Each structure stands twice: as C-alpha cells, then as structure tokens.
Amino acid sequence: MNGLGRQLRIVMSERPSGPLEPRHFRAERVPVPPRGADEVLIRAGYVSVAPHARAVMQGPTYRPQLAVGEVIPSSVVGEVVEAPEGGPTPGTVVAAANAGWQEYSLVPLSAVRPLPRIGPLSHHLGLLGLNGLTGYFGMRSVAEVRPGQTVLVSGAAGGVGHLAGQIARVDGARVIGITSSDAKSAVLVDQLGFAAAVNRTSGTFVEELRAACPEGVDVYFDNVGGTVSDAVLPLLTHRARVVLVGVTSHYDADQPAPPSAALPVQAIAKSLRLEGFLVRDFAERWGTALEDLRAMASHGQVKVLEDIRDGLEAAPSALVGMMSGGNLGQLAVQLRPDPADWPTG
Ligand SMILES: NC(=O)c1ccc[n+]([C@@H]2O[C@H](COP(=O)([O-])OP(=O)(O)OC[C@H]3O[C@@H](n4cnc5c(N)ncnc54)[C@H](OP(=O)(O)O)[C@@H]3O)[C@@H](O)[C@H]2O)c1
C-alpha cells in the first residue's frame, strides 16, 4: 500500500469501429497500485493527447493493441512520489513516455527522465519532449535537409509538424505546410515563418499545393498519409526524401487503410528514398538535441504553439477533436498546477 487512496483514470470502454467518440472512454476511480521494485510512481502534472492513443485503440503499433479496460497511453510530466533506492528523490520533476491518462503512473526507472529546471513545464511534453525530438531527428538525421530545398510538412499545425517545419526553416529550407483550415495556415505563415501553407479541405487543394511548390518537393515530412500524401506524390522531385513520421489519417477507422497503389511507381521512377523512424531510435542523442532545441527557442528561431486543456476529464474530447484537426500545436491536458518554484519562461 502507498497510502494514496484512489485515483482518477481514463480507460478504453469499447473498441471504436469508425470515428472516435467520447463513449469509447470511461473515467473511473481505482486504488493507486503499489509500486514494483524497479518502478517510479509519478503524480502527473500534464499528460499528452496524441494520435498514437487512437492508433493503439485500433491495432498494434510499436506497442500491443490496447485492450478494453486498459488505461489510454500517453507521455507524462510530473513529480516523483516514490522511487527505488538510487532513483530520483520524491518531488523531482520528471518526464516519461510510457505513462497514461491517470493521476498516478508507474513507470520503469529506466524510462524516467529528470527534467532540467527550464520552463515552462509544459514545453517538456512538446518542444523539449518527444514531439520536438521527432521534428529534430526527422529533419536533421532522416531528411538531411539542405539550404534552399523545398520541404513540405503535413499535419503542419500539429505538435510535431509546427516544430519540424520551423527546424527545417532554421536549416535554410523553404517550408510549406498542410493544415485543415485557413486560420491555422495563417498562423504558420504569419507567426512561424512558413513560406506558404495550404488547406487540405479546400476544393482546389491539389492546384494550391502545386502552386505553393513550383520547383517540386525535395523533402516530404509526412505526419498524416492517406489522400494528402497521394496529392503530394506527383510533386516529389528526383531523389526526393519522404520521411514517414505518422499516418494520422489511418488511425480513426476500424482498419488501417491499404498503402497507395501509386507509391511504388513514383518511388521507382524518381529514385525516391522513403524512411520511417521512431524517435526512440535516436535516444542516445536526445541530450544534444534538447540543448539545440532549447537554444533555437531562446534565440527566437522556433516558436512553440500549445493547446493545453484543463483536467483529465477533458482528454477524451480533446483526442476526438484532434482526429478532425481541432488542435493548434501541442495538445495536452493539465492535471495540477506547476510546482510553485518552477520557472515560467
Ligand atoms: N515517429 C515517431 O517517433 C513519432 C513521434 C511522435 C509522433 N508521431 C506521429 O506524428 C504525427 C503527429 O503527431 P502529433 O502528436 O503532433 O499530432 P498533431 O499533428 O498535433 O494532431 C493530429 C493532426 O493530424 C491532422 N489530421 C487528423 N485527421 C486527419 C486526416 N484524416 N487526414 C489528414 N490529417 C489529419 C490534424 O491536423 P489538420 O487537420 O490541421 O491537418 C490534426 O491536428 C502522428 O501521426 C503521430 O503518431 C511519430
């Protein structure tokens, strides 16, 4: 027993078949489980809301398919309550990827990352968390963006996309974004330095995309797949690189969509290089990357967009909305106020 009593958590109540709805989730109060020998008990300050949560409700990803009754998986930023000897002391502020939508998560000690006292705390889920690292390694290590190239980002106003696009811009590329609204596109161009942004829901999307990329696309940083990627394929230049980051358009269905029939023909005809990756592939280099990301933000080269909702109960509707583009930037829910002495900027 840990003396913490009961906690609120959110589980999958029913496997969705078709678009996600709030009824696929259930909030419940259960005892906080006892800590295993190598586990750290974390009290959540923020939990992420990410498309991966929808993906595992559908089927296996890099982790097994979620079972009915299981907690929705997420990253967490919070305070250590209990840890094994030699681990972080209680009160240490940490991040961990393998947590969930619950007030208290048990995470293996090896997966817990103590955070430097650099604020705002929520940035450690986005810019200084998995999404910033995904944009960083996707652009710098997989795409190997070079100055003057045209880089196209799908899901460009999302948590990964808005950071990835800015990193490519810092590296000298001309960056184009794809979003689902003119308002989001305007933010990318007016506030984040994208050269152009195109609305995927426009009746003239394909024509607008071609006009925005008159020299073609050298790097396609793809967060969404599906019909958006079908529209991009003809624009790819000879030896273009396609960075396969996520397939958000496939997640909100009972079955993943089949791959595009046009892809092999285009890949052969243009000597394309397609490469998927998981941000954890680069775990040994996260430290340097986080320093670079922090420097880019503190020099004003990269701006952070966040969409933080209040309270764990807001998480299901936030994820439902995300599946139709309802977020701008990093989506998360806040469960507790930041520690009183945590820096704010
Ligand atoms: N490889 C890795 O290691 C790694 C790490 C982190 C995340 N990811 C992946 O990166 C992607 C982005 O994650 P995120 O957390 O930053 O999410 P996000 O981009 O903030 O949110 C998802 C966005 O996808 C777009 N979208 C939703 N349904 C769509 C559809 N049917 N067709 C096209 N676009 C649709 C929406 O933007 P618009 O409506 O504005 O287009 C929505 O805002 C996800 O696929 C995620 O799984 C991969």
Side-chain angles (χ1 to χ4, degrees):
M1 283 298 292
N2 46 39
L4 290 168
R6 299 171 89 78
Q7 66 157 332
L8 181 66
R9 67 179 196 177
I10 295 178
V11 301
M12 179 170 79
S13 61
E14 185 186 324
R15 191 172 311 288
S17 64
L20 192 65
E21 295 176 34
R23 68 185 174 83
H24 298 126
F25 302 90
R26 182 177 67 243
E28 56 187 30
R29 287 205 168 269
V30 295
V32 176
R35 185 178 64 80
D38 292 326
E39 289 178 327
V40 178
L41 181 65
I42 302 172
R43 181 192 294 121
Y46 297 86
V47 297
S48 66
V49 178
H52 178 253
R54 174 65 184 95
V56 290
M57 293 171 84
Q58 177 196 72
T61 58
Y62 55 83
R63 57 150 285 165
Q65 183 189 47
L66 200 70
V68 169
E70 270 193 286
V71 174
I72 305 298
S74 75
S75 297
V76 64
V77 167
E79 286 181 64
V80 171
V81 179
E82 287 176 9
E85 212 175 308
T89 52
T92 305
V93 180
V94 296
N98 306 310
W101 286 1
Q102 52 196 349
E103 290 173 290
Y104 294 88
S105 283
L106 285 169
V107 176
L109 176 60
S110 58
V112 170
R113 204 160 48 90
L115 297 178
R117 294 187 66 79
I118 293 167
L121 185 52
S122 56
H123 284 195
H124 293 272
L125 272 186
L127 174 76
L128 303 176
L130 295 187
N131 285 351
L133 291 166
T134 302
Y136 182 94
F137 288 108
M139 286 301 179
R140 294 214 164 156
S141 301
V142 183
E144 297 175 345
V145 172
R146 290 189 288 281
Q149 292 189 319
T150 297
V151 173
L152 179 63
V153 180
S154 60
V160 172
H162 84 284
L163 297 170
Q166 292 181 86
I167 292 164
R169 195 211 66 230
V170 168
D171 290 344
R174 177 175 184 272
V175 183
I176 316 298
I178 299 173
T179 76
S180 63
S181 82
D182 293 344
K184 285 188 184 183
S185 292
V187 171
L188 298 186
V189 174
D190 299 343
Q191 298 179 29
L192 306 188
F194 282 55
V198 183
N199 181 344
R200 66 181 168 89
T201 68
S202 159
T204 53
F205 168 58
V206 172
E207 294 78 4
E208 289 175 47
L209 193 59
R210 196 181 312 123
C213 308
E215 312 280 313
V217 172
D218 303 306
V219 170
Y220 176 38
F221 185 100
D222 185 18
N223 284 307
V224 306
T227 54
V228 168
S229 293
D230 290 343
V232 174
L233 275 179
L235 302 178
L236 295 171
T237 56
H238 184 70
R239 299 188 78 84
R241 276 99 62 222
V242 178
V243 184
L244 299 169
V245 187
V247 276
T248 307
S249 71
H250 293 202
Y251 301 157
D252 208 15
D254 52 354
Q255 294 289 327
S260 164
L263 183 59
V265 176
Q266 289 279 337
I268 294 163
K270 293 178 177 170
S271 305
L272 302 178
R273 195 184 91 202
L274 291 87
E275 188 171 338
F277 76 103
L278 281 175
V279 66
R280 68 181 182 198
D281 300 342
F282 297 96
E284 286 180 1
R285 291 162 52 197
W286 282 11
T288 318
L290 290 170
E291 278 171 27
D292 285 353
L293 286 163
R294 201 174 298 138
M296 283 186 236
S298 65
H299 295 139
Q301 294 172 302
V302 167
K303 292 184 185 148
V304 175
L305 300 176
E306 290 183 324
D307 187 342
I308 310 282
R309 315 282 170 92
D310 194 21
L312 192 56
E313 296 89 339
S317 57
L319 182 60
V320 171
M322 183 180 231
M323 291 294 102
S324 50
N327 63 305
L328 177 60
Q330 174 68 43
L331 187 58
V333 296
Q334 183 170 13
L335 283 75
R336 299 170 58 81
D338 294 356
D341 58 347
W342 192 268
T344 53

